[in-house]
Amino acid sequence: MTLELYQEVALTRDLPEYQLRAGDIATLVDFVAHPSGGEEGCLLEVFNAVGESLAVIAVPISTVEVLRPDEILTVRSLAKAG
């Protein structure tokens, strides 16, 4: 898996703290080293379906994967926190 800056990636697991689910798409905007030598991380920018930025989040690099040609995009509603 070769990750590059500014490419779209898919989440590999749910991130309920951000209301995101495995399979959601985000843009990789930076790589970050772990402060104590753990797993490398990355910063992701999450957009809605019309291109508006919703959040920038930091996640472990194992939380993302490159998009594959055998995948199809879909949409879902983002539930608002109560």
Side-chain angles (χ1 to χ4, degrees):
M1 161 170 67
T2 302
L3 294 171
E4 298 179 14
L5 290 179
Y6 309 113
Q7 80 180 121
E8 291 184 325
V9 295
L11 296 177
T12 60
R13 63 181 170 95
D14 291 349
L15 299 173
E17 63 272 31
Y18 301 111
Q19 301 176 29
L20 297 173
R21 297 183 189 159
D24 286 350
I25 306 298
T27 301
L28 193 154
V29 295
D30 204 359
F31 294 101
V32 290
H34 191 280
S36 57
E39 181 181 2
E40 184 179 14
C42 56
L43 293 177
L44 304 176
E45 187 164 7
V46 181
F47 296 90
N48 66 13
V50 295
E52 299 165 334
S53 180
L54 298 175
V56 175
I57 62 173
V59 298
I61 204 149
S62 62
T63 305
V64 300
E65 65 184 5
V66 296
L67 300 179
R68 299 184 320 260
D70 66 335
E71 296 174 317
I72 188 166
L73 300 178
T74 185
V75 295
R76 66 175 181 84
S77 293
L78 181 64
K80 295 291 182 190

